[in-house]
Amino acid sequence: MMIKAILTDIEGTTTSLSFVKDVLFPYADQHMQDFVVAHRQDPAVASLIDDVRLETGNAVLSLADAIAQLRQWIVEDKKVTPLKAIQGLMWEEGYRNGDFTGHVYEDAVRHLLHWHELGLKLYVYSSGSVYAQKLLFGYSDAGDLTALFSGYFDTAVGHKRDVVAYRHIIEAIGLPADEILFLSDIAEELDAAAQTGMKTCCLVRENQPTDHVHHPWVKNFDELDVISIT
């Protein structure tokens, strides 16, 4: 079967890990206190703070303690939905203020444009919220790339190392699993996707080791020949 859709990860795949770890995460950590306090009456933020209380199992968690918990989750790199959602709201301010732009590798930009022109359906699956994904591609170094994508998925469909998440994505895309190619830099994510019948390819950027890679792998999008994958 020919590939008709491409599902791509962000960190380490389309985007440098350092952008997320050295720009986005520190920005969220440094601005968390001021942002949550300033927006605590906003319905969206108030609801997310309630979600933090639900996640911790403490219904009476104070605002200060909720903020401390959010910052601790950042340190621990927890894939917790309320954290990801609040980060997305904070990053929107940063993008709109011009504090930073979304890093996307030049080779990724070129091939995303090319695949879109070929008629392939493009989707994103990241542990960052859908909102944050759209911000990154909407305010990217190369301009607004959001029109290239047919859909976005985050941990609301399941965690990225969980086979069930990929089954949900396949159902949402509406194509047979073997017509979808998943791109990621994480072996365990590729393992989960492969169990559904998806095609997989590992991105091994920035001289990462390859001894742990048991999937087809490339160093960048220039080495990826989507048409030949069957």
Side-chain angles (χ1 to χ4, degrees), residues 53-216:
R53 295 183 177 110
L54 185 64
E55 187 75 28
T56 60
N58 184 352
V60 295
L61 192 70
S62 69
L63 183 66
D65 287 341
I67 292 169
Q69 181 63 76
L70 286 163
R71 297 188 70 183
Q72 183 60 34
W73 282 337
I74 292 175
V75 172
E76 298 170 355
D77 192 21
K78 291 287 189 181
K79 314 300 185 184
V80 185
T81 299
L83 169 64
K84 296 301 180 182
I86 286 179
Q87 284 175 323
L89 295 173
M90 296 175 64
W91 292 332
E92 179 180 17
E93 285 195 354
Y95 284 116
R96 292 189 186 280
N97 292 339
D99 294 339
F100 46 78
T101 55
H103 174 265
V104 183
Y105 286 110
E106 184 271 338
D107 59 274
V109 173
R110 282 190 287 104
H111 285 275
L112 289 168
L113 288 165
H114 178 59
W115 294 334
H116 184 260
E117 290 172 357
L118 290 177
L120 295 174
K121 297 293 186 181
L122 304 178
Y123 299 86
V124 180
Y125 181 31
S126 173
S127 57
S129 68
V130 165
Y131 194 62
Q133 296 170 31
K134 291 180 178 179
L135 288 171
L136 190 153
F137 287 110
Y139 291 88
S140 86
D141 302 332
D144 187 353
L145 302 175
T146 54
L148 301 179
F149 298 102
S150 296
Y152 303 81
F153 302 96
D154 58 20
T155 52
V157 300
H159 291 285
K160 296 190 70 184
R161 303 185 184 193
D162 188 345
V163 177
V164 174
Y166 296 90
R167 292 184 179 138
H168 289 156
I169 290 172
I170 291 166
E171 182 179 0
I173 291 175
L175 288 172
D178 60 1
E179 294 182 2
I180 303 171
L181 172 64
F182 178 51
L183 308 176
S184 176
D185 64 319
I186 303 297
E188 291 83 357
E189 296 175 5
L190 295 163
D191 291 343
Q195 288 184 55
T196 68
M198 276 187 185
K199 302 297 184 183
T200 59
C201 186
C202 184
L203 270 294
V204 184
R205 293 188 180 272
E206 301 176 14
N207 299 315
Q208 294 295 314
T210 60
D211 53 351
H212 69 294
V213 180
H214 305 292
H215 297 263

Side-chain angles (χ1 to χ4, degrees), residues 7-43:
L7 176 69
T8 184
D9 171 49
I10 293 180
E11 289 182 57
T13 303
T14 66
T15 297
S16 170
L17 289 167
S18 64
F19 173 69
V20 178
K21 293 185 177 179
D22 298 337
V23 177
L24 292 185
F25 282 3
Y27 184 91
D29 183 45
Q30 293 163 13
H31 292 79
M32 183 67 73
Q33 171 82 27
D34 291 343
F35 178 86
V36 172
V37 170
H39 296 277
R40 65 187 181 279
Q41 301 297 336
D42 295 356

